[in-house]
């Protein structure tokens, strides 16, 4: 626990309050306000690595005591390097160092040196910087140029724009020349821009310089960029003073802050992420006490988990709080991104981690629902195909697209969309929909149950693809468009045209995906991420009954037997609450699968397995052949009927 707090304070030269330290120790605040300060005092008071500043009521790491000095009296060296590429770990080298001393709020001496990288110069670097191989041929090697730069920099505070890049190369050079990285503290004007200029959408060197009206002279040359950064630093010193940050430790602490104003800190070791495979799977975060905090899924585990170590402005307050409590990571690989999503949903439901919100992990999807009211069913848009009764249509890409479709068909068939229990009363005043004849107003007893049932049945026939009903709907909207145009109501005619286009999108969606919601029986086969196998998902009556890995025909035959059994046993079973997540994930996958691999087979009844077995074998053979060859291309033709 002390090690965690010490690592945190090392990243926060300005120190931290007792409350901040307690947040790192406990995930939930206690009710005793006096216990916290007493606990931290007892934990840290006897350790020489920690000091308590009574004047500011903050704990600091003892090594940072020397940083509590005035910014006005601090000497800076603003530095920029040009390189052969983006990473010293890949063998890229420095080709130019530019540096500027800033003392007493003014730009002082300058340093510039070309460096021979002892390798050929990439063409794009020459195009970017104007530096050529001929210019570097007679220049000193880095080992020869390094002492002059170190003498110029001395012990001054280093400053760079995107310091991670420049100091990454300088620290690699220091390690090679001195056997250790640079010891000076540093300021990053990019990180400071995120805190001091939150209104800027872009905070690159060009954007920040333009904000302050700084001329871009000798851009992409080391000394030119260092001079631009030095001018930016002088502006930032004024902004820091205006907000009361007058000491170096305060400026260093500010640049380490996250979007919520607290320091960005993750106790999870970076080497734990470097060891992750770039494969789909599920990850779990644990706190210092071993308690499960969060479950997530990823298409690429290494890439996704590494995002938690990045101080991004997009992190929510809850995510930042989670990041500060991550001490351990566990992962499990999945055969595909779809498989990872299904495993994540199951794990969240069963393990209920405190940082996972209910259904927040599910994809964006929506349906139209016709309620099961006996006399006057209501039409509504919903994001979940839940267990409660009703008939569903879709899936739609978003709730907004479902609402647009609902508004159209409700007007066409004059169905009610009002919420609440319906109690027909001749004395009632109908809502605007009823008053404008967009609804037959059952609330005011203006329509009999039998006639309303005919409206509902006509709506059902339209979405079932009935040719006569489709022809009527198109003709009705065309008639409205023509009537408005002849009456010179061009805006109304344009709305009718948009309604026609919306109708065509709705009908196309129902042709291609409507059977998924209406029938709820299908089998999905898709390639396994590692190759040499296929993943199978069996859905019966909208419920994900089974998923398994198929490595050959024997596995497929066993699955075929299981399909028949499951359809017979679950044909009339309703979708339960526990099945909602899996159903939603699969519906979203089917909706978006134009960019994904996989075969989908509709299952009409228990005999489907025997009737379609040859098609299943062909699909499995295709998948195994593709994955064995290292390819994962979606087939041109779907064996499923349209």
């Amino acid at each position: 626990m002390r090690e965690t707090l010490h690592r945190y304070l090392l990243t926060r030269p300005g120190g931290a309050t007792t409350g901040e330290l307690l947040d790192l120790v406990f995930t939930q605040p206690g009710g005793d306000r006096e216990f916290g300060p007493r606990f931290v005092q007892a934990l840290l008071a006897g350790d020489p690595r920690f000091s308590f500043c009574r004047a500011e009521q903050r704990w600091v790491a003892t090594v940072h005591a020397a940083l509590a000095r005035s910014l006005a009296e601090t000497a800076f060296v603003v530095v920029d390097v040009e390189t052969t590429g983006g990473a010293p770990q890949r063998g890229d080298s420095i080709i130019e160092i530019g540096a500027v001393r800033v003392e007493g709020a003014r730009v002082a001496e300058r340093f510039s040196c070309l460096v021979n990288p002892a390798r050929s110069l990439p063409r794009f670097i020459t195009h970017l910087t104007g530096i050529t191989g001929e210019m570097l041929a007679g220049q000193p090697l880095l080992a020869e140029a390094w002492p002059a730069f170190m003498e110029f920099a001395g012990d001054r505070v280093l400053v760079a724009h995107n310091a991670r890049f420049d100091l990454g190369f300088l620290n690699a050079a220091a390690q090679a020349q001195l056997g250790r990285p640079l010891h000076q503290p540093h300021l990053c004007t990019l990180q400071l821009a995120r805190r001091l200029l939150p209104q800027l959408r872009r905070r690159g060197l060009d954007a920040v310089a333009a904000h302050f009206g700084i001329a871009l002279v000798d851009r992409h040359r080391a000394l030119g960029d260092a001079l631009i950064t030095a001018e930016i630093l002088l502006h930032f010193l004024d902004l820091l003073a205006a907000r009361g940050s007058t000491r170096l430790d305060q400026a260093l602490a500010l640049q380490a802050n996250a979007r919520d104003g607290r320091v960005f800190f993750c106790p999870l070791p970076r080497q734990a992420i470097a060891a992750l495979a770039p494969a789909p799977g599920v990850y779990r975060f644990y706190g210092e006490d071993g308690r499960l905090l969060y479950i997530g899924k990823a298409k690429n585990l290494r890439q996704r988990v590494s995002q938690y170590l990045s101080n991004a402005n997009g992190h929510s307050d809850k995510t930042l709080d989670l990041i500060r409590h991550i001490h351990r990571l566990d992962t499990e690989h999945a055969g595909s991104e779809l498989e990872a999503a299904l495993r994540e949903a199951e794990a969240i439901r069963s393990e209920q981690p405190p940082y996972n919100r209910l259904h927040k992990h599910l994809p964006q999807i929506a349906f139209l629902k016709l309620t099961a009211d006996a006399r006057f069913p209501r039409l509504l848009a919903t994001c979940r195909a839940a267990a409660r009764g009703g008939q569903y249509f879709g899936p739609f890409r978003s709730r907004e697209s479902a609402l647009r479709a609902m508004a159209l068909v409700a007007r066409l068939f004059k169905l009610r969309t009002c919420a609440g229990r319906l109690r027909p009363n001749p004395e009632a005043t109908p809502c605007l929909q009823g008053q404008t004849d967009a609804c037959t107003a059952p609330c005011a007893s203006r329509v009999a149950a039998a006639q309303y049932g005919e409206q509902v049945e006509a709506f059902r026939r339209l979405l079932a693809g009935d040719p006569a009903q489709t022809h009527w709907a198109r003709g009705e909207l065309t008639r409205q468009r023509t009537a408005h145009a002849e009456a010179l109501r061009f805006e109304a005619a344009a709305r009718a045209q948009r309604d026609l286009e919306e109708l065509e999108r709705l009908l196309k969606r129902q042709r291609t995906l409507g059977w998924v919601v209406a029938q709820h029986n299908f089998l999905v086969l898709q390639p396994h991420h590692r190759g040499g196998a296929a993943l199978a998902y069996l859905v019966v009556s909208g419920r994900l009954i089974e998923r398994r890995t198929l490595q050959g025909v024997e596995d497929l035959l066993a699955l075929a037997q299981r399909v028949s059994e499951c359809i017979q046993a679950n044909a009339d079973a309703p979708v339960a609450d526990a099945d909602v997540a899996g159903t939603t994930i699969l519906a979203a996958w089917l909706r978006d699968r134009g960019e994904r691999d996989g075969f989908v087979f509709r299952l009409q009844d228990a005999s489907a397995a025997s009737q379609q077995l040859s098609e299943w074998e062909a699909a499995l053979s295709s998948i195994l052949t593709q994955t064995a060859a290292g390819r994962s291309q979606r087939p041109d033709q779907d064996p499923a009927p349209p």
Side-chain angles (χ1 to χ4, degrees), residues 212-417:
F212 291 120
I214 299 170
L216 298 176
V217 179
D218 289 335
R219 185 73 172 94
H220 296 301
R221 290 298 300 268
L223 182 58
D225 287 353
L227 285 167
I228 296 169
T229 305
E231 294 289 340
I232 291 172
L233 173 64
L234 293 176
H235 285 281
F236 281 168
L237 292 177
D238 291 338
L239 293 178
L240 287 167
R243 61 185 294 163
S245 298
T246 59
R247 298 200 316 258
L248 176 60
D249 58 348
Q250 294 171 334
L252 291 168
L254 177 66
Q255 75 174 3
N257 282 356
R259 185 191 54 77
D260 61 356
R262 297 170 52 197
V263 70
F264 183 83
F265 173 74
C266 183
L268 183 68
R270 287 188 176 271
Q271 55 266 32
I273 295 177
L276 296 179
V282 176
Y283 57 92
R284 289 172 170 83
F285 290 145
Y286 296 86
E288 189 174 20
D289 58 359
R291 186 163 69 103
L292 176 64
L293 300 178
Y294 182 80
I295 298 174
K297 62 99 170 65
K299 182 179 181 180
N300 183 320
L301 282 169
R302 182 191 299 166
Q303 184 180 74
R304 178 70 184 99
V305 176
S306 66
Q307 292 174 356
Y308 288 92
L309 269 67
S310 172
N311 187 5
N313 281 345
H315 290 318
S316 67
D317 289 351
K318 188 170 185 178
T319 300
L320 289 170
D321 188 61
L322 166 66
I323 289 171
R324 295 182 179 107
H325 290 93
I326 301 172
H327 283 260
R328 185 167 65 84
L329 163 73
D330 279 346
T331 62
E332 59 178 279
H333 290 170
S336 68
E337 186 180 4
L338 173 60
E339 176 74 13
L342 292 168
R343 288 193 195 179
E344 177 202 36
E346 287 182 353
I348 290 173
R349 181 175 180 82
S350 61
E351 301 173 48
Q352 298 184 355
Y355 283 90
N356 284 100
R357 295 180 182 176
L358 185 63
H359 296 317
K360 186 68 182 293
H361 60 285
L362 296 180
Q364 292 292 319
I365 197 168
F367 305 89
L368 287 184
K369 178 181 179 180
L370 191 65
T371 62
D373 299 22
R375 301 179 63 203
F376 301 105
R378 170 197 171 202
L379 191 63
L380 69 150
T382 177
C383 294
R384 299 284 174 260
R388 290 181 293 277
Q391 186 175 358
Y392 291 87
F393 307 91
F396 295 85
R397 184 166 297 278
S398 65
R399 179 176 173 81
E400 289 70 25
S401 61
L403 286 171
R404 288 195 300 270
M406 182 187 76
L408 170 62
V409 294
R411 288 197 307 273
L412 271 175
F413 299 99
K414 301 184 178 182
L415 302 178
R416 77 179 187 97
T417 59

Side-chain angles (χ1 to χ4, degrees), residues 525-574:
L525 296 179
Q526 68 166 174
H528 194 287
H529 170 75
R530 295 180 181 174
L535 297 167
Y537 306 94
L538 174 60
V539 177
V540 177
S541 295
R543 300 165 58 204
L544 178 62
I545 299 296
E546 187 163 340
R547 64 178 189 265
R548 61 172 66 185
T549 301
L550 308 180
Q551 296 181 327
V553 177
E554 296 79 7
D555 295 333
L556 184 63
L557 294 175
L559 175 64
Q561 179 62 36
R562 179 69 176 144
V563 168
S564 300
E565 296 172 357
C566 288
I567 291 180
Q568 291 175 346
N570 299 277
D572 299 321

Side-chain angles (χ1 to χ4, degrees), residues 79 81 83 87-89 92-94 97 142 146 149-150 156 158 160 162-187:
V79 64
V81 297
T83 67
Q89 300 87 347
D92 292 319
S93 306
I94 295 173
I97 303 175
L142 182 60
W146 185 255
F149 168 71
M150 288 302 299
R156 298 170 180 84
L158 297 177
N162 190 12
R164 173 180 289 187
F165 176 84
D166 298 277
L167 291 186
F169 277 93
L170 292 175
N171 278 322
Q175 190 69 45
Q177 305 303 319
L178 308 175
R180 58 169 176 78
L182 297 171
H183 65 277
Q184 300 99 315
H186 74 271
L187 288 174

